[in-house]
Amino acid sequence: DLYRKVFVFRKDPSDAYVVLRARLEQPLHNFTVCLRSYTDLSRPHSLFSYATKAQDNEILLFKPKPEEYRFYVGGKFVTFRVPEGRRDWEHVCASWESATGIAEFWLNGKPRPRKGLQRGYTVGATAAILLGQEQDSFGGGFDLYNSFSGELTDVYLWDTGLSPDKMRAAFLSLRLPPALLAWNSLGYEVKGDVVVKPRLRE
C-alpha cells in the first residue's frame, strides 16, 4: 500500500523507471489517467507511458517544457498550455473518449479547454505501462533526456472518463471509484534508482 508514499526518481538524467501492472481485460474506448508530480526539471520528461506492440505512444503524458503538457492517444497528441508552475506539486488528470474524440486535461483540479483527438480509435489492452521513461519500443527504447527526475505519487488509471466531481476528488485525494491502476493497491516493480519514501507534506 503506497498511501502517503511517493516514488523518488533520484538521478538526472536517469535510466530508472517503474513498471505498473494493471488488470486490463479488454481494449479501452474511454479512459482517465491521473497522477501527481514534483520536479524542478525544465527539460522534456515523460510522466506516464503506456505502450502496445503496435503503438509505443498508445497513451503518453509528456511534459516538453514547464508551461506545456502533451497528451498522446494512439501516437497522435494534443498540447495543453498551462501556467508555468511555481515548482510545486502538480496534479494532472487526462481523459479521452473514443466516441467523440474529446480529450480533457485537468491541472490541480481545474479543466483546461477541451481538444479533439483520435475519434473512433481503440486503445490496445496488452500494454507495458511505465512511470519515469518514455517508451520508443514495447517496454524499452528509452531516451535518458526524456526521463523523469523528482517525485511521483497518486497514480491512477480508469477505463472510463471521470466526471468533473471525480476529477476534483482525485485532486483533493478523496474517495475514488475502483480503478484499473490504483495508488493504494498498486502492483509495481522498480527498475533502477527509484526509492519509495513517505510524502514530505500533504
Side-chain angles (χ1 to χ4, degrees):
D1 181 7
L2 291 169
Y3 179 65
R4 293 203 176 161
K5 295 201 170 85
V6 300
F7 290 131
V8 181
F9 294 77
R10 296 193 326 155
K11 283 166 50 190
D12 171 31
S14 170
D15 58 0
Y17 58 101
V18 178
V19 181
L20 303 184
R21 284 188 278 282
R23 293 174 290 282
L24 286 160
E25 271 120 47
Q26 58 226 24
L28 301 174
H29 299 282
N30 308 282
F31 69 83
T32 306
V33 58
C34 296
L35 57 82
R36 213 179 291 274
S37 69
Y38 188 33
T39 181
D40 57 9
L41 290 176
S42 52
R43 64 163 173 78
H45 56 276
S46 173
L47 293 162
F48 180 96
S49 171
Y50 176 119
T52 58
K53 293 213 162 73
Q55 175 51 255
D56 55 356
N57 293 334
E58 191 73 277
I59 302 172
L60 176 62
L61 271 179
F62 190 78
K63 200 166 186 200
K65 46 191 177 199
E67 64 283 358
E68 192 174 301
Y69 281 90
R70 278 188 197 166
F71 177 32
Y72 287 75
V73 177
K76 304 274 193 336
F77 71 88
V78 285
T79 297
F80 291 93
R81 302 203 178 283
V82 296
E84 190 164 342
R86 299 182 305 282
R87 303 287 188 217
D88 202 347
W89 282 97
E90 288 192 355
H91 183 266
V92 295
C93 286
S95 77
W96 171 82
E97 61 181 29
S98 177
T100 60
I102 290 286
E104 281 185 28
F105 189 86
W106 292 64
L107 175 71
N108 296 334
K110 297 191 175 72
R112 310 304 297 169
R114 286 175 277 202
K115 306 211 167 171
L117 181 63
Q118 291 285 57
R119 188 177 195 160
Y121 188 78
T122 301
V123 170
T126 308
I129 308 175
L130 306 187
L131 301 176
Q133 298 285 351
E134 192 242 319
Q135 303 175 75
D136 285 327
S137 58
F138 187 72
F142 307 143
D143 174 348
L144 299 192
Y145 290 94
N146 285 334
S147 62
F148 178 78
S149 162
E151 305 189 17
L152 283 179
T153 188
D154 293 348
V155 180
Y156 288 86
L157 175 67
W158 289 271
D159 58 358
T160 56
L162 289 195
S163 67
D165 283 353
K166 292 286 185 282
M167 290 286 200
R168 285 186 281 270
F171 169 58
L172 296 168
S173 299
L174 303 177
R175 279 196 56 155
L176 292 165
L180 299 172
L181 284 172
W183 187 249
N184 292 346
S185 57
L186 201 63
Y188 69 92
E189 188 180 349
V190 167
K191 302 280 193 179
D193 196 343
V194 182
V195 184
V196 176
K197 296 293 284 180
R199 196 182 297 194
L200 290 178
R201 61 183 183 79
E202 285 312 296

